[in-house]
């Protein structure tokens, strides 16, 4: 079908890959838990747009350029690691503030506290842009897309671009289903986070630590 071979195997591999935890899915879950469904989908849109750009670049041969140019790959790699580190530091600082304020806010009215927490941070955080940058500053994803997709493209097909389009659409559909599940699951956690500052601070600390781990892993990875 459109030059795609062994579609069932591709779908099985795609599901397994989508389910692997990564900075994109972790960030979407974090945003949904803190800001709700609407803002969670803003972050998810950033992920989908970023992944689509990477798929197009992969099909256009940018992956081969990065793979054959260690300097260019290193620049993109360390830029991505630096951005993930910056996000991690921001999360850890937010967690520190939550730990400090968990007792101070205990006696405040729920209405005033929730309105201030849900409006101002959203404008500052810009979840769509952050998720987009997390996706784009990941040269390993470009190399993954080209190396994974090419296994299921018939080399004799006259229009291989159509094959990449089909594989990319299926990948984004799988990502949409998975991120939607994370978003709606994250909003269920939101109520518990708002009631328990210690739980919220602990989860934010864990997310920050994981992002630091992603940054270290990316910076130490090879082409």
């Amino acid at each position: 079908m459109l030059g795609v071979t062994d579609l069932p195997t591709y779908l099985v591999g795609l599901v397994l890959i989508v389910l692997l935890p990564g900075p994109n899915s972790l960030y979407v879950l974090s945003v949904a838990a803190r800001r709700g469904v609407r803002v969670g989908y803003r972050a998810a849109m950033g992920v989908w747009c970023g992944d689509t750009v990477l798929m197009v670049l992969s099909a256009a041969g940018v992956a081969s350029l990065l793979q054959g140019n260690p300097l260019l790959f290193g620049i993109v790699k360390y830029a991505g690691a630096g951005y993930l580190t910056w996000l991690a530091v921001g999360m850890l600082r937010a967690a520190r503030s939550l730990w400090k304020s968990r007792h101070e806010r205990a006696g405040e009215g729920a209405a005033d506290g929730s309105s201030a927490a849900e409006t101002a941070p959203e404008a500052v955080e810009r979840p769509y842009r952050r998720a987009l940058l997390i996706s784009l500053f990941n040269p390993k994803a470009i190399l993954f897309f080209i190396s994974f997709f090419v296994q299921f493209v018939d080399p004799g097909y006259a229009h291989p671009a159509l094959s990449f389009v089909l594989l990319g659409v299926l990948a984004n559909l799988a990502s949409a289903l998975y991120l939607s599940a994370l978003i709606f699951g994250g909003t269920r956690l939101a109520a518990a986070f708002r009631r328990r500052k210690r739980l919220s601070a602990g989860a934010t600390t864990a997310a920050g630590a994981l992002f630091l781990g992603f940054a270290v892993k990316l910076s130490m990875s090879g082409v």
Side-chain angles (χ1 to χ4, degrees), residues 35-134:
R35 304 283 181 260
V37 172
R38 181 184 300 178
V39 185
Y41 269 109
R42 290 182 189 174
M45 283 297 297
V47 172
W48 296 328
C49 289
D51 285 349
T52 299
V53 170
L54 294 183
M55 292 175 194
V56 172
L57 292 175
S58 298
V62 173
S64 299
L65 175 63
L66 286 177
Q67 198 166 21
N69 191 328
L71 177 61
L72 179 59
F73 181 87
I75 291 173
V76 178
K77 179 177 72 171
Y78 288 114
Y83 185 70
L84 291 177
T85 301
W86 179 74
L87 287 179
V89 171
M91 289 182 177
L92 293 174
R93 290 179 62 186
R96 182 183 178 185
S97 298
L98 286 171
W99 283 112
K100 287 184 176 180
S101 64
R102 71 184 189 277
H103 294 304
E104 297 174 2
R105 293 179 179 268
E108 294 181 359
D112 294 338
S114 61
S115 61
E118 293 176 10
T119 55
E122 177 184 341
V124 174
E125 186 172 3
R126 298 178 182 176
Y128 171 83
R129 188 177 70 175
R130 282 197 175 188
L132 179 64
L133 290 175
I134 291 173

Side-chain angles (χ1 to χ4, degrees), residues 131-154:
L132 179 64
L133 290 175
I134 291 173
S135 295
L136 292 179
F137 279 117
N138 189 1
K140 300 299 288 186
I142 302 178
L143 299 178
F144 162 76
F145 281 129
I146 192 70
S147 62
F148 183 65
F149 283 2
V150 74
Q151 300 177 49
F152 301 96
V153 176
D154 183 0

Side-chain angles (χ1 to χ4, degrees), residues 171-187:
N172 270 337
L173 284 176
S175 176
L177 292 174
Y178 178 59
L179 292 182
S180 294
L182 291 182
I183 288 170
F184 285 100
T187 54

Side-chain angles (χ1 to χ4, degrees), residues 11-22:
L11 294 176
V12 171
L14 184 61
V15 169
L16 295 176
I17 291 163
V18 168
L19 291 177
L20 288 175

